[in-house]
Amino acid sequence: MRIERVEIDGFGRFHAASWDLSPGLTVLLGANEAGKTTLLNALRALLFGFESSRDGRAWYAPLAGGRRGGRLVLATGQNERWVVERHGDRGGAGALAVRAPNGNQGGQETLDRLLHEADKDLFTNIFAFGLGELQTFASLNAEGVRGRIYGARAGLGGTSAIDLERRLRQEMDSDFLPSGSKRPLNALLARIESLRAEIAALSRQPEEHAEAHRERERLVAEADAARHEARRLREDLVRVRTLREAAPIVAALDAVDTELAAGDPTLDDLPEDAVPAVERRVAALEKARAVLATIDDDVREATRTREGLAVDEPILAVAAELAALVDERGRRRAAGERRADLLATTQRAAGIVDEQVAQSGGMTEAALLALDHSIPTLEAIREHDATLARARAAQAEAEARLRALVDVEAGAGAAPVDADRDLDARLAAFRELEALRIARIGAAGAPLAPWSLVGGVAAFLVAVLLGAQLGAPFAGAAVGLVLGAAVLLLGRRAGGTPEPDAERWAAACRVLGLPASPAPQEIAAVGEELAAARARRDLAAADGSRTEARRARVAAREQDVTVAEAAVREAETAWCAWLAARSLPGSLSPEAARQVLGAAATARRAATERDAAREGLASLDADDAAFAARADALVVSLGLPAPEDGASRDARLLGLAERLETARDASRRAAELDARLAQLAERRAPASAEVEAAEAALAGELSRLGAPDVETLRRRAASAAERRGLRATAREHRLRLAGLVGVERVGEIEAEARRADPAALEAMAAETAARLEEVEARERDATAAIGATDARIAQLEATAELGDRRQELAVLEGQAAELARRWAVRALTLRLLSATRARHERERQPDVVRAAETHFARITDGRYARIIAPPGEAAVRVETEGGESRMTDELSRGTAEQLYLALRFGLIEEFAAHAEPLPVVMDDILVNFDAQRAARAASAIRSLAERHQVLYFTCHPWTAKLLDADGTRTVTLG
């Protein structure tokens, strides 16, 4: 199984983020705080739920927004795609949904089956680990981890043998504990012991049963009589106390009734809201009168203002034409500013044209403006310039190369000539002498002289050094070998044996200028001299050959110079022809031609701007004349003298504009006042009618209430309120009486209270209370005696429960036997399962260790050959290739981490042997490895990625490069 896609809705710094993950290895590279740890914890949360924080805050709250959680797309080995989606605001499982390929949806059980029962501990310790988990062996040796790993091989699928043992032990403890008291079997055993004690006690006591029943009947009759008497006394006491409480209430009620009878009964018909209703009608009348008065004031003010207004009708008749002239006057002022701008533009543009004509070298304005300065023309100049530059550069380079070669030829000189003409004859004589010497030494069998080895080496070195100085090191080495061999042969002692050929020996010595019996040192000196002479001759021959080659190269370079000069002349001719075709001086360079064309472009733009400004000035003059004629005609039509000049014309127009504005204000104000008077006339009629209606309504209301005016109504309303208060007090008193005795007995209690004497009521209450206390005490004594008698009867009847106790004992003993049998079966199963698991771990562990040994030896380059992990022991040790045993605490930090990494690889492969492989997630675990072991560990990780999906988180680019050299499997975070 592998993770095909990760989608995070909200988790820490991530929001609406997603990653597509390929099979095999994926390296996730990011700087510190780029989100690597956040993404790793998001994967754990989506698979196994959210952690709970200690301070109550949400673990990895969505800082950038979104709902905390997301989804994983998981691809199985059968190419099925499952979607695991989980969200949650707090710690725990959150809301989990697992969607199958067919669209069905499941929950936690579906996810457990999909992960082959791998829980969070197994995934964190074995399949998703960081540097912290890699630094301890405890996470690998936990029983839960081992149980699930070995459970796959034991035929349990993803079920943990440890979990089965724990479940059996919990079921056993839930039935029975030796020291427990609330377990079912413990409780049954305790009850059985108690029943046996009760049965032994119930086997005794029979009599007194009938006497006890007779005594109980007498006590019951006595208690009933006391109870009836006590009930009667309580009723009497309640009646007396009620009369005592009702007496003052009845007296107060009688006083209220007397006061009501003395008042005016007609006030009872006056409504409670009579005064507020009349006051509302008074307020409405006053409001209507105020509105009418305001309207009358507005009419008088508007009429007075309208009569004082005068409207200038002549100026209003020409308002449109006058407004148009005033607006055009403003535009004419703006045109004056534009006139100045046009004049300045004309002068500036004319100056630019003259300046460019002057810079063009005597060309006329027309000729300059006629030049073509388009982009194709400039491009043609650029091409001619580039062609000339290339041709001249080629010519300069050819001339420089020729000069350099001529200088070398002049300094080389003639090769030296060897003065030794008979060198070949001397070399032949030396070879003859050497051959004879070898034959002499072979015949004599003489041993080497002590100086011969040193002399031979010296002869070889001298020849080599001389050859190097003369420029022929290989020739010097060959001659040195010959001389060295000669010296070694001369070192043999002759031993007095006869020479092989004396005549040939003497002839060779004469040619070489040696005595008849030369010493070995003399022969060696001649050999060295001949080697040097031959080396000088060979060097002179080589120098002669090189001189001829240089002379040939000089001739070739001279030809190159001639060709380059022709190319320059051709380019210059083409350039001059191009200039002549465009009426440009032939002496211009490409740069000067570009400048002339630039001047033509500048002059053409300036000439266009100058001509446009002149046309604008002519248009302004025509507009000014038309404006003056229209303005003068309007002024004269209004009865004013004609303007004398432009200033007086502007003054007259401004005066007429102010007069027009005043006339418009007067006309607008008159229209507003006329409309206002019409509106006020329309509003006055309904306001007047509303005043009359309000006056009639107020009069009718007072008449209905029987009051001549408002003040009289207020006094009657106050008296009516007092009577309503008295009636309310009477109702309260009667309600209190009803609360004491009930509504149906209120009349009865009033009559009794009026007849009763308060002193007699007090005495009667005290006497009744004392009698009630005496009777209640007698009832309590009889009831207590009945209880004691019942207890005695129950004790006497206990023998009837003996059979029940024995039957209950038999039932409980059967239940206890069944629970004991079930507990024993589970205990035996637990013992067998523990033994089987231990044996299986011992048998299967070597496979895990062997796989781990392969990885560990590969990472350490064979430094450690064996891993020893005894079953059941929480320790592991290793052996070096030399047989030395070491515990983990004797290893360096990096080596220990490499050991734990190798063990994890072994456990991962053991789990995958009988369950589908799970994704492997690593968080920067190579930081403590040296360069060589880190490279080998990276190779092991890549090998693991061939069978498992591997996600490697790192903040080190060198680690990413080590794992993914070409970067095709690296995803950058942040």
Side-chain angles (χ1 to χ4, degrees):
M1 185 183 68
R2 65 182 180 86
I3 301 173
E4 191 172 79
R5 181 174 175 82
V6 182
E7 297 179 358
I8 296 180
D9 298 333
F11 197 86
R13 68 190 301 271
F14 292 122
H15 166 59
S18 62
W19 296 267
D20 291 319
L21 303 177
S22 59
L25 175 65
T26 299
V27 180
L28 294 105
L29 173 63
N32 292 331
E33 300 184 1
K36 300 185 301 302
T37 304
T38 301
L39 181 55
L40 174 60
N41 283 301
L43 292 175
R44 292 175 174 172
L46 293 176
L47 286 174
F48 301 104
F50 302 97
E51 295 286 348
S52 299
S53 60
R54 295 182 179 178
D55 56 1
R57 296 179 299 170
W59 183 64
Y60 280 97
L63 304 178
R67 186 182 179 192
R68 188 174 70 152
R71 62 203 54 80
L72 298 176
V73 179
L74 305 180
T76 65
Q78 293 75 31
N79 203 26
E80 296 178 344
R81 281 165 178 77
W82 296 69
V83 178
V84 177
E85 183 171 356
R86 192 189 299 266
H87 294 87
D89 297 328
R90 291 183 291 274
L96 172 65
V98 182
R99 290 190 291 277
N102 59 7
N104 294 338
Q105 183 167 310
Q108 187 62 49
E109 294 182 359
T110 305
L111 181 59
D112 292 341
R113 290 194 301 271
L114 187 61
L115 297 177
H116 298 276
E117 302 298 331
D119 60 6
K120 184 176 182 179
D121 291 338
L122 177 66
F123 189 76
T124 301
N125 289 322
I126 300 301
F127 292 93
F129 54 92
L131 197 59
E133 291 82 8
L134 200 64
Q135 292 175 345
T136 175
F137 183 65
S139 59
L140 294 173
N141 201 45
E143 286 194 350
V145 174
R146 297 202 322 273
R148 283 177 172 81
I149 292 296
Y150 297 121
R153 282 294 186 96
L156 300 176
T159 304
S160 170
I162 300 299
D163 288 344
L164 292 178
E165 294 177 17
R166 186 182 301 111
R167 194 179 310 148
L168 284 172
R169 191 172 289 107
Q170 290 174 351
E171 292 175 354
M172 290 171 56
D173 293 344
S174 66
D175 287 341
F176 174 75
L177 281 177
S179 59
S181 61
K182 296 182 179 180
R183 299 296 189 271
L185 185 54
N186 294 81
L188 284 173
L189 294 175
R191 179 59 179 162
I192 288 171
E193 292 298 323
S194 175
L195 285 174
R196 288 172 179 170
E198 291 180 13
I199 289 171
L202 289 173
S203 299
R204 302 180 295 274
Q205 303 179 4
E207 293 151 12
E208 305 176 5
H209 190 265
E211 181 64 27
H213 272 283
R214 288 191 295 273
E215 178 65 19
R216 186 180 186 283
E217 290 176 358
R218 185 187 65 79
L219 291 172
V220 169
E222 183 180 347
D224 289 342
R227 190 177 303 111
H228 288 107
E229 186 178 0
R231 184 164 53 249
R232 182 184 59 78
L233 290 173
R234 288 191 193 97
E235 291 174 355
D236 292 343
L237 182 58
V238 169
R239 179 174 170 276
V240 171
R241 288 175 177 173
T242 300
L243 286 173
R244 190 174 59 185
E245 292 180 10
I249 298 174
V250 171
L253 180 61
D254 291 343
V256 171
D257 289 341
T258 301
E259 188 174 354
L260 286 172
D264 184 3
T266 61
L267 295 175
D268 295 337
D269 298 331
L270 187 65
E272 291 185 24
D273 62 342
V275 173
V278 170
E279 288 179 347
R280 285 195 297 272
R281 293 190 180 279
V282 171
L285 175 60
E286 292 176 353
K287 181 179 179 182
R289 288 173 177 171
V291 170
L292 182 60
T294 301
I295 292 174
D296 291 339
D297 292 341
D298 290 344
V299 169
R300 287 191 295 270
E301 179 65 25
T303 301
R304 184 173 58 252
T305 304
R306 178 66 181 89
E307 292 172 352
L309 285 176
V311 180
D312 188 353
E313 294 298 339
I315 195 67
L316 291 175
V318 295
E321 186 177 359
L322 177 60
L325 288 172
V326 171
D327 291 341
E328 190 172 353
R329 172 186 173 275
R331 290 195 296 272
R332 295 267 60 78
R333 296 188 63 182
E337 296 175 358
R338 184 166 179 266
R339 182 187 297 277
D341 292 340
L342 290 173
L343 287 173
T345 299
T346 302
Q347 296 173 357
R348 178 179 55 77
I352 292 173
V353 172
D354 294 341
E355 180 181 0
Q356 298 304 317
V357 169
Q359 290 181 357
S360 64
M363 297 180 68
T364 64
E365 178 180 337
L368 183 63
L369 295 178
L371 288 178
D372 179 14
H373 54 80
S374 63
I375 292 177
T377 302
L378 295 174
E379 180 64 20
I381 294 176
R382 188 195 66 77
E383 291 177 357
H384 280 287
D385 192 9
T387 301
L388 287 169
R390 286 194 299 270
R392 289 166 180 167
Q395 179 184 357
E397 182 180 0
E399 292 174 350
R401 292 173 62 188
L402 176 60
R403 285 194 301 273
L405 191 59
V406 170
D407 292 342
V408 170
E409 176 64 20
V417 180
D418 196 336
D420 193 353
R421 302 294 183 182
D422 57 352
L423 179 60
D424 292 334
R426 297 180 65 200
L427 287 172
F430 184 77
R431 286 194 293 271
E432 179 74 14
L433 185 64
E434 286 302 311
L436 295 174
R437 189 62 180 164
I438 291 172
R440 178 184 297 178
I441 293 173
L448 281 172
W451 52 266
S452 61
L453 182 59
V454 177
V457 173
F460 173 75
L461 293 177
V462 169
V464 169
L465 292 175
L466 184 59
Q469 291 178 357
L470 297 176
F474 294 106
V479 174
L481 289 175
V482 174
L483 291 178
V487 174
L488 289 174
L489 292 175
L490 291 175
R492 298 282 187 180
R493 292 190 176 91
T497 57
E499 297 179 358
D501 194 335
E503 293 181 359
R504 291 168 54 198
W505 176 273
C509 289
R510 284 195 301 273
V511 173
L512 295 173
L514 292 174
S517 298
Q521 295 86 346
E522 293 175 337
I523 297 174
V526 170
E528 293 176 1
E529 179 183 353
L530 290 174
R534 182 173 179 175
R536 285 192 297 272
R537 188 181 68 180
D538 293 342
L539 181 61
D543 288 343
S545 299
R546 286 194 294 271
T547 301
E548 292 298 326
R550 282 196 298 272
R551 289 172 181 170
R553 287 197 298 273
V554 168
R557 297 286 172 81
E558 290 175 347
Q559 180 62 30
D560 292 342
V561 171
T562 302
V563 172
E565 290 173 348
V568 170
R569 286 192 297 273
E570 181 180 356
E572 290 175 347
T573 301
W575 170 242
C576 292
W578 187 87
L579 290 174
R582 286 156 182 77
S583 301
L584 290 171
S587 60
L588 290 178
S589 66
E591 179 60 29
R594 279 194 291 268
Q595 291 178 1
V596 169
L597 292 182
T602 302
R604 183 172 295 176
R605 288 193 297 271
T608 302
E609 187 177 5
R610 177 195 63 191
D611 296 342
R614 288 173 179 173
E615 292 177 0
L617 288 172
S619 176
L620 289 177
D621 292 339
D623 293 342
D624 287 346
F627 170 74
R630 289 171 54 208
D632 292 348
L634 178 64
V635 169
V636 172
S637 69
L638 291 174
L640 298 176
E644 300 175 356
D645 51 19
S648 62
R649 185 180 298 109
D650 289 344
R652 297 281 172 80
L653 286 177
L654 290 177
L656 291 175
E658 293 177 359
R659 177 179 166 186
L660 174 61
E661 188 63 28
T662 302
R664 283 176 173 172
D665 288 342
S667 177
R668 183 171 54 254
R669 182 61 176 158
E672 291 174 354
L673 289 172
D674 292 340
R676 175 68 172 161
L677 288 171
Q679 292 174 356
L680 289 174
E682 293 177 358
R683 289 172 54 196
R684 191 180 189 287
S688 178
E690 186 175 356
V691 169
E692 294 176 357
E695 289 175 347
L698 177 60
E701 186 70 18
L702 289 174
S703 175
R704 185 180 66 82
L705 296 174
D709 52 33
V710 177
E711 189 59 35
T712 301
L713 178 63
R714 289 194 179 99
R715 288 195 299 271
R716 284 179 58 81
S719 298
E722 291 178 1
R723 286 184 64 82
R724 285 193 297 272
L726 290 174
R727 292 186 182 279
T729 301
R731 284 195 299 273
E732 290 177 1
H733 290 330
R734 286 189 172 86
L735 287 174
R736 290 177 63 189
L737 291 175
L740 289 175
V741 298
V743 177
E744 67 279 358
R745 292 185 60 200
V746 169
E748 178 186 348
I749 201 67
E750 286 183 12
E752 289 186 11
R754 292 188 182 99
R755 293 192 303 267
D757 182 9
L761 290 176
E762 289 292 337
M764 187 183 299
E767 181 181 356
T768 303
R771 177 62 181 162
L772 176 60
E773 184 177 353
E774 179 184 350
V775 173
E776 287 178 345
R778 192 167 65 243
E779 181 188 1
R780 285 193 299 271
D781 293 341
T783 302
I786 291 171
T789 303
D790 287 340
R792 180 59 180 163
I793 292 172
Q795 183 178 4
L796 293 173
E797 292 176 348
T799 54
E801 300 176 1
L802 182 58
D804 295 337
R805 296 293 188 271
R806 286 175 176 169
Q807 182 179 0
E808 183 182 359
L809 177 62
V811 172
L812 294 182
E813 285 177 343
Q815 294 177 355
E818 176 62 24
L819 282 177
R821 185 193 65 78
R822 188 171 65 181
W823 187 89
V825 169
R826 288 173 176 163
L828 180 60
T829 304
L830 176 63
R831 186 177 184 85
L832 292 175
L833 182 59
S834 299
T836 302
R837 179 176 60 83
R839 183 176 64 255
H840 184 72
E841 287 187 15
R842 288 194 300 272
E843 293 174 355
R844 300 312 310 168
Q845 191 182 32
D847 292 343
V848 176
V849 173
R850 278 194 292 272
E853 282 178 349
T854 302
H855 293 293
F856 192 44
R858 178 180 181 180
I859 294 173
T860 60
D861 196 22
R863 176 74 174 88
Y864 295 95
R866 290 188 61 204
I867 299 176
I868 303 171
E873 295 186 11
V876 66
R877 64 182 186 273
V878 297
E879 283 188 2
T880 65
E881 56 186 351
E884 180 183 357
S885 178
R886 293 182 182 178
M887 300 298 294
T888 54
D889 56 1
E890 297 175 323
L891 301 175
S892 67
R893 178 177 179 179
T895 304
E897 292 176 4
Q898 293 150 17
L899 170 62
Y900 299 151
L901 178 62
L903 288 170
R904 274 181 173 81
F905 284 179
L907 289 170
I908 289 170
E909 294 176 356
E910 175 69 14
F911 182 88
H914 287 271
E916 186 170 354
L918 297 179
V920 181
V921 185
M922 307 178 191
D923 187 8
D924 238 347
I925 61 171
L926 302 181
V927 294
N928 293 325
F929 293 10
D930 59 38
Q932 289 76 19
R933 293 192 179 182
R936 290 190 289 270
S939 176
I941 293 173
R942 289 193 297 272
S943 298
L944 182 69
E946 296 174 358
R947 302 176 296 280
H948 298 259
Q949 183 185 35
V950 177
L951 308 179
Y952 192 96
F953 291 83
T954 181
C955 62
H956 301 290
W958 65 266
T959 304
K961 197 72 174 176
L962 198 63
L963 291 165
D964 181 22
D966 55 4
T968 58
R969 292 183 171 272
T970 299
V971 176
T972 302
L973 299 177

